[in-house]
Amino acid sequence: STQSTWGFFFSSKKPKKMTDLAKLNDFLASRSYIVGYQPSKADATVFGYLEGVNVPAEFPHVRRWHNHINSFNPKPTAGSDDAAKQFAPVSAGKAPAADEFDLFGDDDAEQAARDKELMQKRIADQHNSKKKQVIAKSSVVWDIKPWEKDVDFELLESLVRRIEMDGLHWGIAKVEEMCFGIRKLQIVATIEDAKVSTDMVEDLIKENEELVQSVDIASFSKL
């Protein structure tokens, strides 16, 4: 029945709580009447439940609707037969079914669907953003020359590889002959340009001052 349906939202002719008015306000934001496009007994019934309620200004759509329905001077009692007779039904000769007065059930379902769609769109946007993000990287080859020709290159390489920082990735290494029996350690690294400075890496390698005479970049290429 109309009374039992609206009794779910209102009781004793007054809203149960301010959230009832808030829901009604949201419902009426895009509607002139409770059901259809002309005043109906649904309007009279809800008007009756709001009898004696001073609708706050924070619910402008309820106030607009309330003032409009009040202009018909219905003065119904909530859920009464008098309320049902104030206006013609929406469809001629047939009173609206009770579920037609469920203002918020369909809206809640529609809002949940919209929220789910929005969440899925945000996740997709974040995924696409990560895919489009390009991390600038470079490949660097360092020549590390020792003080002595009989230096322990395995030790030297291990000391270099101990240098760790975010965005620095060591690659292959080899010992190369230069001249007069002097050799050098050549080691490759991939760096993320935004995170790693070649000068910083070189300074850290040179901290092994007892073994390292000089550090030079043999080649540098963007990836």
Side-chain angles (χ1 to χ4, degrees):
S1 67
T2 302
Q3 183 174 359
S4 62
T5 300
W6 287 110
F8 178 77
F9 299 103
F10 305 107
S11 62
S12 301
K13 303 181 182 179
K14 293 186 179 181
K16 292 180 180 178
K17 48 191 176 181
M18 293 297 284
T19 53
D20 293 334
L21 286 176
K23 290 180 181 179
L24 184 60
N25 190 70
D26 291 341
F27 178 80
L28 291 170
S30 58
R31 297 171 175 83
S32 297
Y33 303 103
I34 300 300
V35 179
Y37 302 98
Q38 60 182 349
S40 71
K41 68 178 183 179
D43 294 281
T45 301
V46 180
F47 185 88
Y49 278 112
L50 291 175
E51 185 177 8
V53 175
N54 183 19
V55 180
E58 63 187 282
F59 305 120
H61 304 300
V62 177
R63 296 186 73 174
R64 165 185 54 76
W65 168 86
H66 190 272
N67 291 336
H68 177 60
I69 298 303
N70 190 50
S71 67
F72 293 97
N73 195 30
K75 297 180 180 179
T77 299
S80 67
D81 292 338
D82 290 339
K85 295 176 181 178
Q86 293 297 320
F87 305 111
V90 175
S91 56
K94 182 180 179 181
D99 57 2
E100 291 185 63
F101 302 136
D102 186 358
L103 297 184
F104 311 116
D106 290 342
D107 277 6
D108 288 345
E110 291 175 3
Q111 184 62 46
R114 287 194 294 268
D115 290 344
K116 182 178 180 181
E117 182 180 356
L118 180 60
M119 180 62 70
Q120 291 175 338
K121 183 177 183 302
R122 286 177 178 173
I123 293 174
D125 289 344
Q126 290 176 357
H127 179 70
N128 292 334
S129 177
K130 290 180 179 178
K131 289 177 62 177
K132 293 178 182 178
Q133 184 179 4
V134 178
I135 300 175
K137 296 182 179 180
S138 300
S139 177
V140 186
V141 179
W142 274 286
D143 280 346
I144 305 171
K145 299 173 184 175
W147 287 107
E148 305 292 339
K149 63 179 180 181
D150 58 349
V151 68
D152 186 342
F153 281 99
E154 289 185 2
L155 173 61
L156 179 57
E157 181 183 344
S158 68
L159 293 173
V160 172
R161 291 186 184 278
R162 287 180 187 177
I163 299 172
E164 296 181 350
M165 62 179 68
D166 187 23
L168 172 65
H169 308 280
W170 294 109
I172 62 172
K174 63 181 179 178
V175 178
E176 284 197 341
E177 296 285 344
M178 292 193 296
C179 59
F180 306 110
I182 300 175
R183 297 177 296 171
K184 66 180 178 180
L185 176 66
Q186 191 172 81
I187 188 167
V188 180
T190 299
I191 62 171
E192 294 182 23
D193 297 345
K195 297 178 179 179
V196 179
S197 162
T198 57
D199 290 339
M200 182 183 299
V201 176
E202 289 177 19
D203 289 342
L204 291 172
I205 295 174
K206 288 177 181 178
E207 287 185 1
N208 300 293
E209 54 188 16
E210 293 183 358
L211 298 176
V212 177
Q213 177 187 24
S214 64
V215 180
D216 300 299
I217 294 178
S219 69
F220 183 98
S221 58
K222 294 286 187 181
L223 299 179

